[in-house]
């Protein structure tokens, strides 16, 4: 068992410019986030796994060639090969920003290690990730296209990875870093009359009009996110959705502060 | 079973400038080699796995911090994280040259998927590689530092990967691409009185004064290479060591020509 393990999701909308649908990395965000992680790790002792979203680096090609729906024709194969290069480009930049802050990282390539079965992670041995964590190395993962025993291939979302790791590694805490302050009663990017929900649990799920993300997202946007986190809360693992585009929120969250965004718990 | 599978090793001395011990990629070699592979694949139907050496991108740090000897102290951890970035830099370039020739590739990261036990590959599931091959995608692998169940971590040489894959995937042929014409009775870079051995088998092993490579190489140089290939020949899988720095040799070898360098067979 890994002690004091935090799983941190860095949203695709944070690391990239998701709105423009171009493959543009947000280095400014990445640099500050890396600095906050380094400062938190100097202050407090915790093991860390980072999972980042991929924004246009993945979703654009995946959507165009229906990679998330599985194999249907040979024109998808070149796109599949292309998407791996595109994801690697982003992942290399994320890792490089963390390394500049003297964080020892390893890019863990789940598409080389794990298999999907009908879009769900079923064959995913975590013993290698555990070994890296034992050496206090921070594994970095991301949404990806994986081989699928039923569909040929399909998409594994960063959110699915977060839930799986948190569950199997018995994480102490899950932090979902986004560009919004938490979960709102309506989409704050589209409507004015919205309120931030401080605590979110299974019982108030139906009261909410949770809309998916407005940007191109083959993995379900906010709806998908909440669904995965509720599953997690049922196992007693608490998550918090916070705004990591605003300075210092992430650092405080990593250091143990709660109530900085929306907490997701079972009741 | 994968039909007509060729495992191609591209030596570290071919893809990098091994002599200078600097992290310099040989793009000229890589471009021509990629073109020859593309032309061969247009002419003939075969499945392909590429394993490339890493030259100074791996050996330098590995040697400096004794990574090939396993975990001994915490100063190795930053070096371990660093070596992964360095290897990725090289691997990205190799892949990019192949992609420019419209070859559909996937970079397979064995350190995310496989475990060593006392420097030997024992936990290495190949089902994902097989799936990529089924889609006619070319997996690219390379020498790497892997987690080791006994030593913490250790080095897996490209030559070990070649033997393992050839054995487990029942390869039709193994091509070892180097910057020399084959196996010599003495090191052709150091001595004048040498002869090229056209066929090499277990029985004439003792007659030879096989010296290791003169450059920094933590994985055994030519000696290590031959040892691994002899093991392979015992299983009936033939290898040929050829000079892929000279134009057109690789293309001819991929298309089925024999006798272009040194053939390694069991008797």
């Amino acid at each position: 068992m890994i002690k004091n393990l935090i799983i941190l999701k860095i949203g695709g909308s944070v690391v990239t410019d998701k709105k423009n649908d171009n493959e543009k990395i947000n280095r400014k965000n990445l640099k500050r986030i890396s600095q906050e992680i380094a400062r938190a790790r100097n202050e407090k002792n915790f093991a860390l796994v980072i999972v980042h979203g991929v924004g246009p680096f993945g979703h654009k090609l995946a959507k165009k060639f229906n990679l998330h729906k599985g194999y249907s024709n040979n024109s998808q194969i070149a796109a599949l090969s292309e998407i791996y290069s595109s994801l690697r480009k982003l992942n290399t930049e994320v890792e490089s920003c963390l390394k500049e802050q003297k964080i020892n990282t390893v890019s863990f390539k789940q598409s080389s290690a794990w298999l999907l079965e009908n879009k769900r992670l079923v064959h995913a041995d975590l013993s290698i990730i555990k070994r890296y964590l034992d050496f206090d190395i921070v594994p970095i993962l991301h949404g990806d296209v994986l081989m699928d025993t039923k569909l040929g291939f399909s998409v594994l979302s960063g959110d699915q990875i977060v839930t799986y790791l948190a569950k199997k590694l018995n994480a102490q805490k899950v932090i979902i870093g986004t560009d919004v302050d938490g979960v709102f009663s309506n989409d704050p990017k589209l409507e004015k009359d919205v309120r931030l929900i401080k605590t979110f649990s299974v019982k108030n799920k139906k009261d909410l009009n949770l809309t998916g993300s407005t940007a191109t997202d083959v993995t379900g946007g906010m709806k998908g996110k909440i669904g995965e986190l509720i599953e997690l809360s049922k196992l007693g693992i608490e998550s918090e959705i916070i705004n990591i585009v605003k300075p210092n929120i992430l650092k405080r969250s990593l250091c143990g502060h709660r109530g900085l965004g929306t907490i997701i718990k079972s009741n």
Side-chain angles (χ1 to χ4, degrees), chain A:
Chain A
M1 203 188 116
I2 311 293
K3 263 186 159 179
N4 305 326
L5 173 65
I6 297 177
I7 313 277
L8 167 64
K9 168 85 193 288
I10 306 180
S13 54
V14 176
V15 293
T16 70
D17 191 356
K18 216 173 177 177
K19 273 182 228 109
N20 288 339
D21 233 25
N22 288 323
E23 289 194 2
K24 209 183 148 199
I25 295 164
N26 193 325
R27 281 190 190 76
K28 200 183 142 204
N29 275 350
L30 273 174
K31 188 183 172 182
R32 195 193 31 77
I33 286 166
S34 302
Q35 286 168 339
E36 291 191 28
I37 293 170
R39 273 165 43 219
R41 272 170 73 86
N42 282 340
E43 256 177 52
K44 266 204 111 168
N45 226 335
F46 59 90
L48 182 66
V49 175
I50 295 174
V51 182
H52 67 81
V54 299
F57 285 79
H59 296 294
K60 214 173 150 188
L61 265 177
K63 203 170 182 180
K64 187 173 172 192
F65 289 92
N66 277 323
L67 299 182
H68 54 303
K69 292 181 182 167
Y71 174 77
S72 61
N73 63 75
N74 279 337
S75 78
Q76 294 176 304
I77 304 304
L80 179 61
S81 175
E82 203 45 57
I83 211 170
Y84 284 129
S85 300
S86 173
L87 293 173
R88 172 142 83 164
K89 205 165 120 191
L90 172 63
N91 184 247
T92 301
E93 285 287 339
V94 173
E95 190 178 21
S96 146
C97 288
L98 288 158
K99 281 180 117 69
E100 273 169 24
Q101 304 304 321
K102 312 270 179 227
I103 301 166
N104 292 330
T105 56
V106 62
S107 170
F108 184 87
K109 193 166 184 181
Q110 57 279 340
S111 55
S112 290
W114 302 347
L115 269 172
L116 297 179
E117 188 177 306
N118 246 331
K119 302 188 183 183
R120 299 298 301 180
L121 255 184
V122 281
H123 309 283
D125 179 16
L126 299 184
S127 62
I128 293 176
I129 287 188
K130 278 186 200 159
R131 286 171 193 275
Y132 284 122
L133 288 169
D134 282 339
F135 284 123
D136 201 27
I137 293 176
V138 177
I140 311 175
L141 296 86
H142 57 77
D144 204 351
V145 186
L146 269 67
M147 293 290 106
D148 187 305
T149 57
K150 302 286 182 195
L151 304 171
F153 47 76
S154 56
V155 169
L156 176 70
S157 73
D159 295 322
Q160 243 185 295
I161 298 175
V162 166
T163 322
Y164 189 86
L165 292 178
K167 221 181 283 184
K168 298 281 181 182
L169 298 174
N170 197 17
Q172 194 194 44
K173 187 179 184 170
V174 169
I175 299 172
I176 307 291
T178 67
D179 62 344
V180 290
D181 290 341
V183 182
F184 289 88
S185 51
N186 281 301
D187 191 332
K189 287 174 185 166
L190 294 178
E191 306 202 19
K192 273 186 178 177
D193 184 24
V194 292
R195 73 195 152 82
L196 177 70
I197 297 151
K198 295 297 280 181
T199 305
F200 189 86
S201 66
V202 182
K203 63 175 193 281
N204 61 359
K205 189 183 173 188
K206 284 177 190 165
D207 300 341
L208 299 170
N209 175 26
L210 284 175
T211 51
S213 164
T214 47
T216 304
D217 190 336
V218 292
T219 59
M222 190 58 95
K223 260 185 196 166
K225 229 182 278 301
I226 303 288
E228 300 278 349
L229 296 177
I230 285 175
E231 289 309 306
L232 211 55
S233 72
K234 288 177 187 167
L235 300 167
I237 301 168
E238 194 176 282
S239 318
E240 187 156 3
I241 300 178
I242 57 171
N243 190 336
I244 59 171
V245 173
K246 290 185 181 167
N248 233 21
I249 306 267
L250 174 59
K251 194 230 153 190
R252 287 165 68 204
S253 183
L254 287 168
C255 285
H257 285 82
R258 294 173 74 238
L260 300 164
T262 300
I263 291 172
I264 288 103
K265 55 181 192 174
S266 60
N267 54 51

